[in-house]
Amino acid sequence: QVQLVESGGGSVQAGGSLRLSCVASEYHYRQNCMGWFRQAAEKEREGVASIPRYGVTTYADSVKGRFSISKDNAKNTLYLQMNGLKPEDTAMYYCAAGSVCATGPRRWDTWGQGTRVTVSS
């Protein structure tokens, strides 16, 4: 049973924009926290942004001012708007849901299959 399904990845030039989407099951959409992580080749998975059910969104320092996380409750969908993309943003991007907005990936309960983002210079 697929619970989180990402889409929207692709290849863009530096400075371009992409919007990632993550359609969630009702249960996972209502969990306390949803977020986006990314994993570049030969690097550890890192948090990009998170949005609690109640509270303030958080962003990694590397994406502040360029990325924006949001939710559409009518569609059970999580978004990540990415503007001003840089080559260092190239990675596989994963949607996640969990009971807490943990900084690291280990405390998140459920993961999507990922969507690839490639930014060329």
Side-chain angles (χ1 to χ4, degrees):
Q1 181 179 359
V2 179
Q3 297 162 328
L4 298 174
V5 181
E6 302 99 330
S7 63
S11 297
V12 296
Q13 291 190 327
S17 298
L18 286 172
R19 187 178 77 160
L20 306 184
S21 300
C22 172
V23 179
S25 66
E26 185 73 21
Y27 171 77
H28 291 289
Y29 189 79
R30 291 183 178 277
Q31 283 191 268
N32 287 340
C33 196
M34 294 192 75
W36 290 96
F37 283 75
R38 66 185 181 187
Q39 188 165 16
E42 301 181 357
K43 292 189 176 180
E44 293 186 354
R45 192 169 296 190
E46 63 175 0
V48 174
S50 63
I51 182 168
R53 192 172 179 189
Y54 305 105
V56 180
T57 57
T58 60
Y59 296 91
D61 288 342
S62 59
V63 306
K64 282 180 181 176
R66 299 188 297 122
F67 291 10
S68 177
I69 189 171
S70 62
K71 297 172 70 176
D72 185 334
N73 295 334
K75 298 181 179 180
N76 283 6
T77 301
L78 176 73
Y79 297 103
L80 184 69
Q81 178 67 45
M82 305 186 295
N83 299 325
L85 283 161
K86 304 176 181 180
E88 51 263 44
D89 295 319
T90 295
M92 185 72 84
Y93 283 72
Y94 297 91
C95 172
S99 57
V100 295
C101 288
T103 302
R106 295 183 181 180
R107 296 183 64 187
W108 293 76
D109 302 324
T110 306
W111 295 86
Q113 81 288 352
T115 185
R116 185 169 298 279
V117 173
T118 303
V119 185
S120 58
S121 58

